[in-house]
Amino acid sequence: MRDLARQLQQRRLDGLYRTRKVQEGMQGAHVVLDGKPCLAFCSNDYLGLSHHPQVIKAMQQGAENYGAGSGAAHLINGHSKAHHELEEALADFVQRPRALLFSTGYMANLGVMSALMQRGDLVLEDRLNHASLIDAGLLSGARLRRYAHADADEAATQIAERAGEIMVATDGVFSMDGDLAPLPQLAQICKQKAAWLLVDDAHGLGVLGEHGRGSLEHFNLDADDVPILMGTLGKAFGSFGAFVAGSVELIETLINQARSYIFTTAPPPAVAAATCVSLKLVQQESWRRDKLSSLIDQFRQGAASLGLNLMPSMTPIQPLQIGDSQQALACSDALWREGIYVPAIRPPTVPEGSARLRISFSTDHEPNQIDHLLSVLEKVL
Ligand SMILES: *Cc1c(COP(=O)(O)O)cnc(C)c1O
């Protein structure tokens, strides 16, 4: 038996110990964490939809219509009309024949790769991909290789040496860096080799593109370029869950073979009912994306004039590189003492030596709050 106490103590010494803060009430610019009111720049609720009155109402109504839980897996009788309508609306939104709901993004990635890939196949991933994509590659049994971050040329070289079934998988927007994958190049490489391309657009959907259709809209790519699109619903959509969109054959294959789809309870129908409304708001209220992008510009200009270590990101994820884990933690603590919450992101979430403050913005923020953040950062850093 491992000595867990000693292991935990070592974690503490390395600045890698993780703890949670307890939040009261809803997401928003101002939250109460561990009983302390603060200004938060940390959530993925980029469009502020998690607490939109219409979304909340839809969830309440959904609970009245369907009850609190789904009661069964999708393949038994847990697949409600609310789930079904959401799948149709999502497929429409991303302009693909079909979409399939999963309980979480993590499970969606596991499901896709384990259904499509097997021993002897090759899965090729960006080194900075989300943990769920990495785990999915490992679980699939295929050979997993990684290429340097956003390096489409290295991906092309690795793919050129191989025959047989190949899947390239990448985040659309990298969750801890905020930058975009070189999707047009990856799409071209994959087409030449008839390889699958899976894009996990957890942080792009709702946020990027004129209509909020994410990284693919940003780069003007279609289903022919990217045959497998995964999106999550717990971030910009403000609710919970995830989906995979693609061809009829892809979705039917997942329904029949994705173990993380088959062997689990369907999410509460009320959640799907709420997501239907937030999807409408994502489409109709483009002012949310406009406001977000003006807040991001304001922050980047201010941070650049302070000489802060910005990363090349045009998204609401605006990390400040610190490097050392202990130091990143100390910066986060100093901000916390000033009434601002920004988490320190440390290995293994990010590579060794690249600990950072992960600042994220939402339409809940106002320009004066960005100014306040900048002035406190100037003081603390
Ligand atoms: C958050 C996230 C996931 C996981 O989605 P959940 O619905 O939270 O499980 C997958 N991929 C990326 C890139 C993410 O940021």
Side-chain angles (χ1 to χ4, degrees):
M1 247 179 6
R2 285 214 172 79
D3 185 345
L4 298 183
R6 223 188 79 193
Q7 215 169 274
L8 288 167
Q9 181 56 17
Q10 188 57 48
R11 220 168 234 288
R12 231 182 254 285
L13 292 172
D14 295 340
L16 296 178
Y17 202 88
R18 288 150 191 260
T19 59
R20 305 170 299 172
K21 292 187 188 334
V22 177
Q23 170 151 337
E24 289 165 40
M26 300 190 188
Q27 288 292 355
H30 289 283
V31 297
V32 178
L33 284 174
D34 276 354
K36 176 176 156 167
C38 64
L39 183 57
F41 295 94
C42 59
S43 94
N44 302 318
D45 187 17
Y46 303 119
L47 302 180
L49 295 177
S50 75
H51 49 92
H52 192 290
Q54 285 179 39
V55 176
I56 295 171
K57 186 146 214 95
M59 193 174 285
Q60 290 167 333
Q61 192 65 54
E64 268 171 41
N65 293 345
Y66 295 97
S70 68
H74 283 282
L75 292 182
I76 310 300
N77 75 343
H79 186 66
S80 70
K81 194 158 173 240
H83 293 121
H84 206 73
E85 284 173 1
L86 176 58
E87 286 181 346
E88 288 175 347
L90 285 167
D92 253 17
F93 176 56
V94 298
Q95 304 173 322
R96 276 148 204 265
R98 293 277 297 274
L100 185 71
L101 285 174
F102 280 78
S103 299
T104 69
Y106 200 123
M107 292 167 76
N109 283 336
L110 294 191
V112 169
M113 278 202 214
S114 58
L116 299 183
M117 306 304 281
Q118 60 191 37
R119 258 178 86 95
D121 297 342
L122 173 69
V123 171
L124 202 53
E125 300 206 24
D126 189 292
R127 206 162 263 293
L128 295 190
N129 271 357
H130 190 264
S132 59
L133 281 175
I134 303 292
D135 293 355
L138 293 170
L139 185 74
S140 73
R143 171 128 187 258
L144 172 64
R145 290 189 69 180
R146 302 201 233 177
Y147 54 89
H149 177 51
D151 190 343
D153 292 337
E154 194 192 340
T157 312
Q158 293 198 8
I159 230 182
E161 301 160 359
R162 283 288 294 229
E165 197 72 0
I166 303 173
M167 180 185 289
V168 176
T170 182
D171 287 20
V173 173
F174 288 87
S175 55
M176 297 300 140
D177 292 60
D179 59 338
L180 276 80
L183 295 183
Q185 293 88 321
L186 291 175
Q188 199 189 4
I189 293 165
C190 288
K191 270 194 212 169
Q192 280 166 2
K193 277 295 262 193
W196 293 106
L197 177 57
L198 161 61
V199 173
D200 171 343
D201 210 19
H203 298 274
L205 273 179
V207 172
L208 295 179
E210 191 188 339
H211 304 90
R213 287 197 297 266
S215 311
L216 272 57
E217 186 181 7
H218 173 83
F219 285 117
N220 201 14
L221 299 172
D222 59 20
D224 188 40
D225 301 307
V226 179
I228 314 175
L229 172 64
M230 195 286 274
T232 64
L233 303 169
K235 288 164 183 159
F237 288 83
S239 65
F240 189 75
F243 68 94
V244 174
S247 68
V248 173
E249 294 76 13
L250 171 71
I251 298 306
E252 288 298 320
T253 300
L254 295 179
I255 292 173
N256 282 277
Q257 297 185 47
R259 293 167 67 84
S260 62
Y261 180 77
I262 298 167
F263 298 106
T264 197
T265 301
V271 172
T275 312
C276 270
V277 171
S278 70
L279 174 57
K280 282 204 186 91
L281 294 167
V282 163
Q283 293 172 277
Q284 287 164 359
E285 301 196 347
S286 58
W287 66 263
R288 292 177 186 275
R289 282 181 287 281
D290 298 341
K291 179 176 179 189
L292 200 47
S293 89
S294 110
L295 293 172
I296 294 164
D297 287 347
Q298 184 194 344
F299 173 76
R300 285 189 69 86
Q301 279 172 23
S305 68
L306 292 177
L308 298 179
N309 204 355
L310 279 172
M311 294 172 64
S313 161
M314 55 168 290
T315 66
I317 304 166
Q318 292 291 330
L320 294 178
Q321 272 274 14
I322 305 287
D324 177 62
S325 293
Q326 295 281 15
Q327 221 172 333
L329 209 52
C331 291
S332 171
D333 287 345
L335 288 168
W336 175 244
R337 285 192 293 276
E338 299 285 334
I340 290 182
Y341 181 59
V342 174
I345 306 291
R346 293 156 286 161
T349 310
V350 293
E352 218 46 65
S354 74
R356 65 199 66 179
L357 293 174
R358 181 183 184 269
I359 298 169
S360 61
F361 297 111
S362 130
T363 44
D364 290 329
H365 292 120
E366 295 301 334
N368 65 324
Q369 294 168 332
I370 309 287
D371 285 339
H372 180 61
L373 170 67
L374 285 164
S375 73
V376 175
L377 281 170
E378 183 179 19
K379 183 171 151 194
V380 160
L381 297 176

